[in-house]
Amino acid sequence: MTKQPAPGEATPARVRVDGLDIQVSVRGSGPPLLLIMGLGGNLGMWEPLERELVARGLRTISFDAPGTGGSSGWRVPRRMPAIARVVERLLTALGEEQVDVLGVSLGGAIAQQLAHQAPDRVGRLVLAATMPGIGGVPGSPAVLLKMSTPRRYHDPEYFRAVAAELYGGRSRLGGPSAMHPLSRFARPPTWNGYLQQLYAIQGWSSVPWLYRLPQPTLVISGDDDPIVPLINGRILAWLIPRARLHVVRGGGHLFLLEEPATSAVEIAQFLQDRSGPAPSRASGSSPQLRDQTTLHHRREDRT
């Protein structure tokens, strides 16, 4: 008899999509939330946040991007539309007609592309620590140079040496969530897979079509993120019609890992609030955003 996973435990699977073997993990029960990880990351890195989301009534679906974690990679690199198409076909293979989507960093760019080219497959959208590509404001050249190789996934000592400068937030204080994510090193990305992800994002921009995204959208950005400066969250929230911005005070690039419980509260409240549409520019927005401070997070809603 096959042992059934305990409530909240992950159910792993491998799914064949477009000639690739994609590693997938499903956890919990309830409305589905697709999680799209950032550059070089693997699905195991989602676990702290997943457990918090599952405890709040959501079912999480995570996967390893081609060439990362347990997923096979392409022989020839692909652009963002092709990656989003793989995600869409993965949903079809899993029998998911429509899901809410949370993307972080590069995963947030993929989430934008998916919402654009397959809008009927995405219910609500959460964009964390991400940007619109060309038209956004990149981090400093020194920070981006450290992102050019996957060394921080292969060498724990190197990761500890560069974490503060690279990720900001609690990494500057040596916080345990940021400094000791064992899943980061358990399944590092292949060099080829990592470089293909970098290739996919080069020259990409969502700016020309963000104004057409129909999904209610929550943009979450840290105000101490060296990789994706806060201004990018403001740009996304300004250009997406049904979006609002939530600022994580003191949050770096890894705020979802550093504050999984607090992050999950904000995400779950947004996804589960179906009482009406998200705020939109049409309802009377302004570049001046009103701040409301609660604990570690500051929410900026259009008023």
Side-chain angles (χ1 to χ4, degrees):
M1 179 181 295
T2 303
K3 183 179 179 181
Q4 296 296 317
E9 293 301 312
T11 301
R14 287 181 71 79
V15 180
R16 188 75 173 173
V17 179
D18 280 2
L20 300 170
D21 291 316
I22 302 296
Q23 185 69 36
V24 179
S25 175
V26 180
R27 192 187 298 264
S29 59
L33 173 61
L34 179 70
L35 305 175
I36 309 180
M37 180 50 70
L39 179 63
N42 64 73
L43 59 81
M45 295 170 64
W46 284 116
E47 183 172 355
L49 181 63
E50 279 184 303
R51 291 189 178 279
E52 296 290 344
L53 292 169
V54 166
R56 288 164 176 80
L58 296 170
R59 173 166 54 94
T60 61
I61 304 169
S62 56
F63 67 97
D64 287 331
T68 68
S71 294
S72 61
W74 281 302
R75 292 185 177 181
V76 178
R78 309 293 176 89
R79 292 294 190 180
M80 292 290 283
I83 295 175
R85 190 159 51 247
V86 166
V87 177
E88 181 184 1
R89 290 172 180 172
L90 176 64
L91 293 175
T92 299
L94 293 173
E96 301 289 350
E97 182 176 348
Q98 187 182 81
V99 296
D100 294 327
V101 178
L102 163 59
V104 62
S105 195
L106 173 63
I110 297 171
Q112 292 171 61
Q113 185 69 43
L114 178 66
H116 168 60
Q117 68 187 52
D120 58 322
R121 307 302 295 270
V122 179
R124 290 194 162 212
L125 190 60
V126 181
L127 303 176
T130 192
M131 65 186 302
I134 293 176
V137 179
S140 72
V143 167
L144 297 181
L145 181 61
K146 291 180 174 63
M147 298 282 292
S148 64
T149 79
R151 183 181 174 188
R152 66 192 185 283
Y153 286 103
H154 292 262
D155 184 345
E157 291 301 319
Y158 177 76
F159 171 76
R160 282 188 281 272
V162 304
E165 178 187 1
L166 194 58
Y167 297 114
R170 289 192 181 179
S171 297
R172 300 190 192 279
L173 307 175
S177 295
M179 296 302 288
H180 303 289
L182 299 181
S183 58
R184 166 183 290 273
F185 308 109
R187 286 183 174 243
T190 65
W191 278 74
N192 185 53
Y194 189 88
L195 294 176
Q196 286 193 12
Q197 286 188 308
L198 287 176
Y199 171 82
I201 196 69
Q202 296 305 308
W204 176 83
S205 177
S206 59
V207 169
W209 41 258
L210 281 177
Y211 75 96
R212 296 204 303 266
L213 289 187
Q215 296 86 2
T217 301
L218 173 64
V219 180
I220 313 179
S221 300
D223 63 5
D224 183 26
D225 185 343
I227 298 173
V228 183
L230 173 58
I231 184 62
N232 293 283
R234 298 187 189 279
I235 292 170
L236 288 171
W238 182 245
L239 292 177
I240 299 172
R242 303 176 68 191
R244 66 174 172 85
L245 174 64
H246 177 89
V247 175
V248 181
R249 231 179 133 185
H253 197 65
L254 302 179
F255 63 80
L256 291 180
L257 297 180
E258 295 168 347
E259 296 187 37
T262 311
S263 298
V265 168
E266 185 69 21
I267 293 166
Q269 286 178 346
F270 169 73
L271 296 179
Q272 294 167 347
D273 180 11
R274 308 288 174 165
S275 59
S280 69
R281 286 187 304 184
S283 63
S285 62
S286 165
Q288 301 299 320
L289 300 174
R290 180 177 299 169
D291 293 355
Q292 294 181 333
T293 303
T294 56
L295 297 177
H296 297 291
H297 289 231
R298 181 171 70 240
R299 177 183 299 171
E300 301 193 6
D301 295 317
R302 293 194 180 95
T303 56

